[in-house]
Amino acid sequence: MKADFLKELNEAQLEAVINSEGPALVISGAGAGKTRVLTYRIAYLLQKGIKPYRILALTFTNKAAGEMKNRIAGIAGFDTAKYLWMGTFHSIFARILRNESDKLGYKSSFTIYDATDSKSLIRSIIKEMGLGDDVYKPGVIASRISAAKNNLITAAMYESRPELTEYDRAVRMPRLAEIYKIYTTRCFKANAMDFDDLLLNTNILLSSFPEVLEKYRKKFDYILVDEYQDTNYAQYLIVKKLSEVHRNICVVGDDAQSIYSFRGARIENILEFRNDYPDAKIFKLEQNYRSTQTIVNAANVIIANNRGQIQKTVFSENEAGEKIRILQAMTDTEEGFMVASDIFDRKYSYRLNWNDFAILYRTNAQSRIFEETLRKKNIPYRIYGGLSFYERKEIKDVLAYFRMVINPQDEEAFRRTINYPRRGIGDTTVKKLTEIASMLGDTSWNVISRIEDFSTHFNSSTIKKLRDYAEMLTGFAVATEDMDAYQAAKEITTASGIVRELHEGDTPEEISRLENFEELMNSIKEFTEAAKTNGEPYSLGAYLQNVALLTDQDTEDRKGGDRVTLMTMHMAKGLEFSHVYITGMEDSIFPSPMSSDNPKELEEERRLFYVGLTRAKKMATLTYALNRYMYGNLEYSKPSRFLREIDPSYIEFPQLASRFGNNRYNDGHDNRLSEDNNNYQPALKSKKYGRIIPATKDETVENNFTPSSVLTEGDIVAHDRFGRGTIMEITGEPPDTTAIVDFEESGRKKLLLRFARLKKIEQ
């Protein structure tokens, strides 16, 4: 045991680590070292003599769990750290469910369905029921079922809840309860659980079997939870049940970073922790080690607008740093070029790397313009939130084979493997098998296992092909029983013909599929070697569970090398970058228009902005466009209300400074955007009321633009950014009149005249 590890903590962190008995709530500001506190608290318990297998530590990503375990191993030694019960909620609960599976009627080899598997099964059910997937959309139904499970509402309970069924009727999906019921039955018969079942079934297990609850209460003397603000109702209840006796529970989190309510996260879990544990000790980690003072102070001002929060004052002792820059673009396309150009200039001016930069946005749809502009400037980038490696068809097909070897009842894996590689078993045969299985209340595998009993349904050639398929998989199960994951994977993919088929292609797409397969085999090899080194299970089944429980951050398809990062702000949580660009800062995008009339949702949007801003270590740039194409139309956009919440002393407008000169602009003016002025016109402070009011026409720095009503085609005009140009065409009626202007330097632009600020040049 490393003796002096506690010296690495500041005073607040040390207090949170050494007060290890009883309930504790550690509130950590962004970049304040919460992971270090959680890690060192566990190391401190081990130093006190607590056995590692009596400590339960729950995280939200495998990455976080792995990093923490490695740190603890560095302090307490590998042989101690490997016995900790540390992992994601889903991986730990899957482990418990495998140990106790028989009590719920499952085999311990149950499959874990990912989102794609769940949607595929739901799609099949919808088709079998003769319902249109234009109304009964698989994704919507999957989300609805997921929400029910996270609130511990089973299929039977859903059916009996009138408020749920009435809602379904109102949205024209009256048979959703029936779909949920069939989906649950199909999963059970396939010996499969989806992600949400891991939480639902653990709650059922602990509620219905008191002896099991007592067993795990006695097993874990100490429970620690990371990112507690992200827990949902099901996770909250499990943790509460397990900690009710010993009450040695420590939760770490930041209510200001609670941004996942759409996944079922309940900020109330952290805000009301003291209601569950009135004697809980509260520790606040308020020193930010990541960002400059300016970024931290601005973030504090923003989040102070939220009423529902635990008060804390985050501070930084880093350098003051640059002011937060606000950039205005005329259009969303210009915004893309502006950001790409700024990144290019800063990269070479300050000798930075591309991976020092991140472009964040509210919705995935915003990425297109940035991808296009980065490509035009030959700036390499990687985008998070796209198709992950494990969702690619060729990868899921191979994994389906592994799943069938471990659990042949897996209906979704059966559908993927029955005719891959092609063996002459068509859709008609598969449909017949499914119908027979459904009629018997059985699985397709069990039908194939006694295919001779159904000889009247299939010809002799088809029966032989089905028998060969079944014998092949049964042979794999026997042959690979004592093999490690890599040996088993190699045997299955070779003997099944997968390797041969992948090597036959020569098109770019086929070569890419082969490369992905080879990367998969590399990952299995790495898993096997790491598991053997760490003394963990290294079977094919263990590998499958590891893959099935990977989270968003674990599965991101990250291209290597030096690249600019593009992602949504939700994806950015937990990450950090030297230079961050938060784009689309408009009221029509951020905050989301759907949150405008809901104070609770608006506060979550503000927390999301807080998260985005605090990803920046050295510089933050906020951008918005005055006009943006929405649904095929050029729409006027108003700057986000969040921009107006930033204290003016922390922001600057580079465009104004360059246009008017720093001294003239900064003398007596407040650098805050006014609500009604949508260009860079500074608002003046009212001496009478002491608040920000819109600048009047007479107070603006410059107002010598030609009224749009007097402009005509053929006029020579000047634009403050695009320069000199000629109006080629004017269309539309006020206030939506647009003009196509051919600029001498910038080419043709389509501008909304009421915001274009054009000045007519007299000839």
Side-chain angles (χ1 to χ4, degrees):
M1 174 71 75
K2 185 178 175 182
D4 59 349
F5 67 94
L6 294 179
K7 293 181 180 179
E8 300 173 18
L9 304 171
N10 65 31
E11 187 176 341
Q13 292 171 338
L14 181 63
E15 285 297 308
V17 166
I18 63 176
N19 287 278
S20 58
E21 302 301 308
L25 170 61
V26 181
I27 295 296
S28 173
K34 70 174 178 59
T35 303
R36 170 172 286 193
V37 165
L38 202 57
T39 302
Y40 283 31
R41 188 175 172 105
I42 294 171
Y44 181 70
L45 290 172
L46 295 172
Q47 187 185 59
K48 286 175 58 179
I50 305 301
K51 299 298 181 184
Y53 50 80
R54 302 193 74 83
I55 298 172
L56 171 63
L58 299 167
T59 69
F60 274 87
T61 67
N62 291 284
K63 179 183 174 184
E67 288 176 354
M68 286 171 58
K69 189 172 281 191
N70 287 337
R71 287 192 198 180
I72 293 168
I75 298 171
F78 168 75
D79 289 336
T80 298
K82 70 181 182 182
Y83 291 109
L84 289 166
W85 274 63
M86 176 180 288
T88 64
F89 281 90
H90 291 89
S91 65
I92 294 295
F93 297 161
R95 186 174 172 183
I96 291 173
L97 287 168
R98 290 201 192 279
N99 291 342
E100 316 293 341
S101 58
D102 59 309
K103 295 177 178 61
L104 298 177
Y106 287 86
K107 295 178 182 176
S108 61
S109 59
F110 63 80
T111 296
I112 299 172
Y113 279 176
D114 63 16
T116 304
D117 297 320
S118 295
K119 286 181 186 177
S120 176
L121 176 54
I122 289 169
R123 189 175 288 108
S124 298
I125 294 169
I126 291 169
K127 189 175 181 180
E128 290 167 20
M129 293 174 67
L131 304 173
D133 59 10
D134 54 336
V135 176
Y136 288 87
K137 296 177 181 177
V140 173
I141 292 174
S143 297
R144 188 90 170 133
I145 292 173
S146 174
K149 289 183 178 182
N150 284 328
N151 285 287
L152 305 185
I153 299 172
T154 63
M157 293 166 65
Y158 191 102
E159 216 171 16
S160 64
R161 298 276 289 269
E163 72 276 14
L164 298 177
T165 53
E166 284 173 15
Y167 174 84
D168 292 341
R169 279 194 292 272
V171 295
R172 299 192 304 135
M173 292 191 295
R175 300 184 70 183
L176 198 150
E178 189 179 350
I179 295 172
Y180 185 7
K181 191 173 183 179
I182 295 172
Y183 173 78
T184 301
T185 303
R186 291 280 184 86
C187 285
F188 183 75
K189 285 179 180 174
N191 193 35
M193 297 187 197
D194 63 24
F195 248 49
D196 301 306
D197 284 327
L198 298 178
L199 304 181
L200 175 63
N201 287 338
T202 301
N203 268 291
I204 291 172
L205 183 70
L206 298 180
S207 299
S208 303
F209 299 91
E211 70 279 11
V212 175
L213 175 59
E214 187 65 19
K215 171 184 174 180
Y216 288 98
R217 275 179 174 171
K218 288 182 177 178
K219 180 173 182 61
F220 303 124
D221 291 330
Y222 294 85
I223 297 176
L224 302 96
V225 183
D226 191 18
E227 304 285 11
Y228 192 64
Q229 77 280 350
D230 293 337
T231 54
N232 60 29
Y233 181 60
Q235 291 162 329
Y236 159 80
L237 274 188
I238 294 169
V239 170
K240 192 168 185 294
K241 286 173 185 173
L242 292 176
S243 62
E244 270 180 339
V245 176
H246 58 68
R247 294 171 58 77
N248 290 322
I249 177 171
C250 173
V251 302
V252 181
D254 182 7
D255 56 291
Q257 297 187 65
S258 179
I259 59 173
Y260 295 125
S261 65
F262 66 96
R263 293 181 180 173
R266 299 170 74 248
I267 191 174
E268 294 82 8
N269 292 349
I270 194 166
L271 294 179
E272 299 172 6
F273 185 80
R274 287 290 293 268
N275 293 343
D276 292 327
Y277 306 94
D279 57 332
K281 301 182 184 75
I282 308 294
F283 304 96
K284 294 182 180 181
L285 309 181
E286 297 175 306
Q287 182 172 356
N288 179 300
Y289 290 92
R290 175 191 300 150
S291 306
T292 64
Q293 293 180 30
T294 297
I295 291 170
V296 170
N297 292 341
N300 283 344
V301 170
I302 291 162
I303 204 65
N305 288 279
N306 275 8
R307 298 181 64 183
Q309 62 175 305
I310 298 172
Q311 293 299 324
K312 61 182 178 298
T313 304
V314 182
F315 67 94
S316 171
E317 293 183 353
N318 296 335
E319 62 182 357
E322 295 185 53
K323 288 189 175 183
I324 295 169
R325 301 184 307 155
I326 298 181
L327 301 180
Q328 169 194 284
M330 289 302 296
T331 66
D332 47 357
T333 301
E334 187 191 0
E335 180 187 35
F337 277 104
M338 185 184 293
V339 170
S341 297
D342 199 67
I343 290 174
F344 187 91
D345 293 344
R346 284 197 162 243
K347 196 267 187 192
Y348 289 106
S349 297
Y350 298 97
R351 297 182 180 180
L352 303 171
N353 297 317
W354 294 122
N355 56 24
D356 288 323
F357 299 93
I359 301 173
L360 308 184
Y361 33 79
R362 179 63 181 83
T363 65
N364 278 308
Q366 292 169 254
S367 72
R368 179 189 62 82
I369 286 173
F370 297 107
E371 290 188 73
E372 290 176 359
T373 53
L374 291 172
R375 279 200 297 267
K376 286 176 181 176
K377 285 190 169 288
N378 292 318
I379 297 175
Y381 67 90
R382 56 187 168 194
I383 183 164
Y384 286 19
L387 187 68
S388 84
F389 178 78
Y390 293 100
E391 289 176 327
R392 289 181 166 88
K393 181 183 182 301
E394 61 272 20
I395 301 304
K396 288 193 73 69
D397 287 342
V398 173
L399 294 177
Y401 261 94
F402 302 163
R403 283 162 50 177
M404 282 299 290
V405 171
I406 302 300
N407 173 27
Q409 309 299 334
D410 186 337
E411 201 75 11
E412 291 306 303
F414 161 77
R415 290 174 186 271
R416 282 187 171 272
T417 58
I418 186 65
N419 197 38
Y420 175 73
R422 293 189 179 280
R423 53 177 62 90
I425 300 175
D427 292 342
T428 302
T429 300
V430 175
K431 185 178 179 182
K432 283 183 183 178
L433 286 169
T434 304
E435 288 172 350
I436 294 170
S438 179
M439 182 180 63
L440 297 174
D442 212 334
T443 63
S444 298
W445 174 260
N446 287 342
V447 172
I448 293 177
S449 298
R450 48 193 183 95
I451 194 63
E452 284 78 8
D453 294 348
F454 307 99
S455 57
T456 57
H457 295 80
F458 307 98
N459 60 41
S460 58
S461 173
T462 300
I463 288 176
K464 183 181 184 306
K465 291 170 185 174
L466 292 172
R467 191 189 302 118
D468 290 346
Y469 166 77
E471 289 174 355
M472 176 186 68
L473 286 170
T474 303
F476 288 157
V478 174
T480 61
E481 189 173 3
D482 297 321
M483 292 182 178
D484 63 36
Y486 181 73
Q487 292 169 334
K490 195 172 181 180
E491 170 68 21
I492 293 167
T493 55
T494 302
S496 65
I498 292 174
V499 173
R500 182 180 65 253
E501 178 167 290
L502 288 170
H503 276 89
E504 287 174 351
D506 56 6
T507 67
E509 293 78 11
E510 290 168 331
I511 292 170
S512 177
R513 284 196 288 271
L514 175 60
E515 290 172 346
N516 287 334
F517 167 74
E518 290 172 345
E519 182 59 29
L520 175 68
M521 295 303 290
N522 291 338
S523 77
I524 299 173
K525 182 71 171 177
E526 290 172 8
F527 165 83
T528 304
E529 292 178 352
K532 287 180 178 178
T533 301
N534 297 334
E536 297 171 350
Y538 49 80
S539 65
L540 187 62
Y543 171 75
L544 284 175
Q545 172 156 314
N546 179 69
V547 170
L549 295 173
L550 293 175
T551 63
D552 290 350
Q553 286 192 11
D554 300 315
T555 60
E556 264 319 309
D557 184 20
R558 298 181 173 92
K559 295 179 181 177
D562 188 19
R563 298 169 183 268
V564 174
T565 297
L566 278 68
M567 61 169 62
T568 65
M569 275 171 277
H570 281 101
M571 289 292 298
K573 186 170 176 290
L575 304 177
E576 59 183 40
F577 303 91
S578 293
H579 297 68
V580 169
Y581 295 78
I582 301 179
T583 61
M585 292 296 300
E586 300 143 36
D587 266 346
S588 57
I589 295 177
F590 192 37
S592 167
M594 293 184 290
S595 68
S596 301
D597 300 323
N598 187 316
K600 186 176 180 181
E601 291 179 6
L602 184 60
E603 291 207 347
E604 177 156 337
E605 290 287 297
R606 187 176 286 110
R607 292 194 295 269
L608 184 58
F609 181 35
Y610 176 88
V611 166
L613 186 58
T614 55
R615 298 312 93 198
K617 294 193 288 185
K618 294 184 177 180
M619 187 209 77
T621 302
L622 314 178
T623 71
Y624 71 96
L626 290 178
N627 306 284
R628 183 176 296 272
Y629 274 98
M630 312 252 324
Y631 311 108
N633 297 313
L634 189 64
E635 301 282 348
Y636 155 63
S637 300
K638 187 163 73 172
S640 170
R641 69 190 71 187
F642 294 155
L643 293 178
R644 298 190 293 273
E645 293 177 356
I646 305 175
D647 189 295
S649 63
Y650 303 132
I651 59 178
E652 69 174 1
F653 302 92
Q655 291 154 314
L656 269 182
S658 63
R659 188 187 309 163
F660 303 125
N662 282 317
N663 292 336
R664 183 178 179 186
Y665 175 69
N666 290 324
D667 184 17
H669 290 93
D670 176 6
N671 293 12
R672 187 191 295 260
L673 287 177
S674 69
E675 185 166 0
D676 296 326
N677 290 319
N678 301 306
N679 297 318
Y680 281 125
Q681 295 182 160
L684 298 180
K685 287 187 178 179
S686 164
K687 294 180 181 179
K688 183 177 181 181
Y689 299 107
R691 61 183 178 86
I692 303 301
I693 60 173
T696 66
K697 184 176 290 187
D698 294 335
E699 294 167 333
T700 57
V701 176
E702 188 171 87
N703 190 34
N704 57 352
F705 303 108
T706 304
S708 59
S709 59
V710 304
L711 293 173
T712 61
E713 294 177 4
D715 283 348
I716 307 298
V717 295
H719 186 274
D720 57 9
R721 183 165 309 126
F722 301 140
R724 180 186 172 105
T726 303
I727 297 178
M728 307 303 293
E729 182 182 346
I730 294 179
T731 57
E733 298 296 326
D736 298 320
T737 307
T738 61
I740 294 177
V741 184
D742 189 3
F743 291 102
E744 295 172 0
E745 300 277 335
S746 310
R748 292 200 172 198
K749 304 285 183 184
K750 186 175 182 180
L751 305 175
L752 201 61
L753 280 181
R754 58 182 164 138
F755 302 119
R757 295 158 59 94
L758 297 174
K759 180 180 180 182
K760 183 177 178 179
I761 299 175
E762 299 298 337
Q763 298 298 299

